[in-house]
Amino acid sequence: MGRPDHPGTAAPSDGTADDTADDGLDGAVAREATGVPAGPPDATPALPVGRGRAQRHPHGARRVTVPSSLGPLAALRAEPDAAAAIEGRPATALLLPGYSGSKEDFAPLIDAVAAGGIGVLALDLPGQYESPGPAAESEYQPDRLGPVIAGIVADEVAAGRRVLLLGHSFGGLVARAAVLAGAAVRGLTLMDSGPGELPMGQRRTNLDVLEPILRRRGIEDVIALRDASGEWSSKDPQVVALLRERLRRSTVTGLLGMGDALRAEPDRTAELVAAVRARRVPCLIVCGIDDDAWPVSMQRTMADRLEAEFAAVPHAAHAPNVENPTALLDVLVPTWRTWLRDDLLG
């Protein structure tokens, strides 16, 4: 597998403030893109992106429930545009959100990915938002959640679909664990996710500060702190309402367990290298060019180790899916379509 780079210079964001799909409960301000220009057949299809919509961005996916070994998971499913599909078995992009996130974090991507001939299945991870989760904090470690996702991949494959797995931030650690657990994916994308634990920095500090508040006083005090900080004051009221609701409905046990995992996950890149080489699974590492979680240089080094493609999305930090979906789509859709064509070539 070669490692060509994407230049990461697609259409910039318009600077509209919005909320990121955050992994440190710090609500970093994001910017929404305005649209995707027309392009050649393998370019991202035209996408009318509304201003400041983020997780409330309109899409054509339907709400579904996906069975898993830990119980039903809430999801959004969109069918691919058959006219744009690559020859062969249909494909589904299975999308995993980050810590404190949800399936709605992928709302700005859904219609464009489906228009590119690839179906979408965006999940709440166990314990997130509308999905129940286990009672023990230890069950939220990536190596415990990975086999759960591997089971969902197996169900998709059994239904005749090729699976392109994407994990954002904490979801990237889970996606990696799913591949290490044997998930039969056609490609792996790690977005704004690192080789191991979250490095020292503001996001890790936020986890350290908020952990005792969450454990002793509960989620309402965390929400009150965010309200008092004013970090939500400039955002669309409908987006703020969703962010409050999903924090309130996510399990405290899950937030604590995932938070612990983000501060303790070992570097498993060597294991992943062996797995993807043995099974010839292509990989993409993509991140916002200003990612403030795992340094971009660290993610670039991880891509080198994996012999993976690498792309840095302009005008984006830790959540290009809501900060600059236009530029992110210009990386994802052509890359995924290439992987599906290569699959036909053997």
Side-chain angles (χ1 to χ4, degrees):
M1 293 177 290
R3 196 193 57 75
D5 290 344
H6 290 278
T9 56
S13 161
D14 69 359
T16 303
D18 216 324
D19 190 81
T20 67
D22 68 279
D23 271 287
L25 287 175
D26 62 348
V29 174
R31 297 172 297 278
E32 187 85 354
T34 56
V36 178
D42 271 352
T44 306
L47 173 67
V49 179
R51 285 178 169 271
R53 308 297 288 278
Q55 290 89 348
R56 290 292 195 183
H57 192 277
H59 57 77
R62 68 186 190 278
R63 297 171 62 85
V64 298
T65 300
V66 177
S68 82
S69 58
L70 286 179
L73 300 181
L76 297 171
R77 186 183 286 277
E79 300 302 327
D81 181 344
I86 301 292
E87 184 181 353
R89 290 177 295 122
T92 296
L94 178 57
L95 312 179
L96 310 181
Y99 170 75
S100 82
S102 69
K103 58 194 176 301
E104 286 75 18
D105 293 334
F106 302 108
L109 309 182
I110 290 173
D111 285 358
V113 172
I118 300 168
V120 174
L121 183 60
L123 298 179
D124 290 348
L125 290 172
Q128 288 182 332
Y129 192 21
E130 297 176 311
S131 293
E137 291 177 28
S138 60
E139 293 297 311
Y140 293 93
Q141 298 292 315
D143 65 352
R144 306 301 290 269
L145 295 178
V148 178
I149 300 304
I152 294 172
V153 171
D155 290 343
E156 291 292 301
V157 172
R161 304 183 185 101
R162 293 177 285 176
V163 177
L164 302 164
L165 181 60
L166 178 147
H168 172 231
S169 197
F170 177 79
L173 302 180
V174 176
R176 176 178 70 180
V179 172
L180 293 177
V185 300
R186 183 61 201 94
L188 173 65
T189 301
L190 302 179
M191 183 173 76
D192 294 89
S193 191
E197 66 183 66
L198 193 64
M200 296 307 298
Q202 188 60 53
R203 288 182 178 271
R204 180 153 181 160
T205 298
N206 290 337
L207 286 173
D208 291 338
V209 170
L210 289 173
E211 190 267 345
I213 297 172
L214 183 60
R215 188 177 296 280
R216 298 169 191 168
R217 292 155 51 185
I219 197 65
E220 291 300 329
D221 277 56
V222 172
I223 293 172
L225 283 172
R226 297 193 71 169
D227 282 332
S229 72
E231 64 183 83
W232 285 342
S233 61
S234 64
K235 298 172 179 61
D236 184 299
Q238 291 188 343
V239 173
V240 174
L242 172 62
L243 300 178
R244 285 198 190 103
E245 178 191 8
R246 76 178 185 186
L247 265 182
R248 192 169 279 126
R249 294 180 61 180
S250 295
T251 66
V252 170
T253 300
L255 291 170
L256 290 169
M258 293 180 196
D260 286 345
L262 279 167
R263 294 174 290 176
E265 177 74 358
D267 185 339
R268 303 186 70 186
T269 307
E271 297 172 68
L272 186 60
V273 168
V276 299
R277 285 181 180 172
R279 285 143 54 188
R280 300 183 65 187
V281 176
C283 299
L284 167 67
I285 308 301
V286 60
C287 60
I289 200 166
D290 297 315
D291 193 356
D292 59 348
W294 287 271
V296 174
S297 60
M298 182 182 291
Q299 296 179 64
R300 176 74 182 246
T301 298
M302 182 172 67
D304 289 339
R305 293 172 67 187
L306 287 165
E307 296 182 331
E309 297 182 69
F310 176 84
V313 177
H315 306 284
H318 190 56
N321 44 307
V322 295
E323 295 162 347
N324 195 353
T326 295
L328 176 62
L329 285 161
D330 281 344
V331 172
L332 295 182
V333 174
T335 299
W336 289 348
R337 286 177 61 86
T338 297
W339 290 352
L340 294 173
R341 280 201 190 90
D342 290 347
D343 184 45
L344 298 177
L345 298 175

